[in-house]
Amino acid sequence: MVNVEDDLNDIEPGSTEDTSTPAAFTSNLRELVTGDYLAEQDRDLLLDWMSGNATGDTLIRAGAPSGWSVADKSGGAGGIRNDVAVVTPPGRAPIIVTVFTARHDPTMKYDDSLVARTAEVVLAALV
C-alpha cells in the first residue's frame, strides 16, 4: 500500500510505517547537495527552494547563528516536528543538520522551539 498526502499526516501511535531516521535524512540530503546525484543547476534549484521555505523560520533557521544561511525542509504531524537543513557558516563548507522530535502524547501539538533550541545547541558547538 502506498500512502499519499494528506494521508501521510495520519500517524498511528507506535507505527513505523512511512518513517525514516535522522541519519538517513542527513545522508540523503548530503548526497543531494554535495554528491554527483544532481546536476549543478538542479542542486542550485533545490537549495533555492529550500532557502525560500518560510515554514523553517521557527526551526533550525531560528537556532542558527546570525549570518549563517539555512536551506531547510520541515515536516510535522501531531506531536512530531522534524527539520533537515543545509546550514552554511560564512566562509565555510555547508553542514547538514537534521532534527527529529516527537512528544510522548500524540494528541499534543508539535513544538517548533524544541527544534530551534536543539539546532542552537548543536550549531553553537561549531562556532
Side-chain angles (χ1 to χ4, degrees):
M1 181 169 113
V2 175
N3 289 328
V4 296
E5 287 291 353
D6 290 332
D7 295 338
L8 290 169
N9 295 319
D10 295 329
I11 300 169
E12 291 286 325
S15 171
T16 58
E17 184 180 9
D18 295 321
T19 62
S20 188
T21 66
F25 260 63
T26 301
S27 177
N28 289 340
L29 185 55
R30 180 181 294 112
E31 185 63 27
L32 287 172
V33 299
T34 65
D36 295 329
Y37 187 78
L38 293 177
E40 184 177 350
Q41 69 185 37
D42 294 333
R43 182 179 12 258
D44 291 346
L45 180 59
L46 174 64
L47 290 171
D48 184 54
W49 285 339
M50 292 173 67
S51 295
N53 178 18
T55 61
D57 288 349
T58 59
L59 300 168
I60 292 174
R61 191 173 295 132
S66 179
W68 292 30
S69 67
V70 178
D72 78 302
K73 176 59 183 106
S74 61
I80 297 170
R81 187 62 158 159
N82 304 324
D83 200 21
V84 59
V86 179
V87 181
T88 308
R92 292 175 43 195
I95 303 159
I96 309 300
V97 177
T98 304
V99 179
F100 279 18
T101 65
R103 304 187 94 179
H104 293 291
D105 181 350
T107 64
M108 294 181 74
K109 295 282 187 187
Y110 52 71
D111 184 358
D112 287 0
S113 67
L114 180 57
V115 175
R117 179 68 180 128
T118 302
E120 181 180 8
V121 169
V122 169
L123 296 172
L126 303 174
V127 173

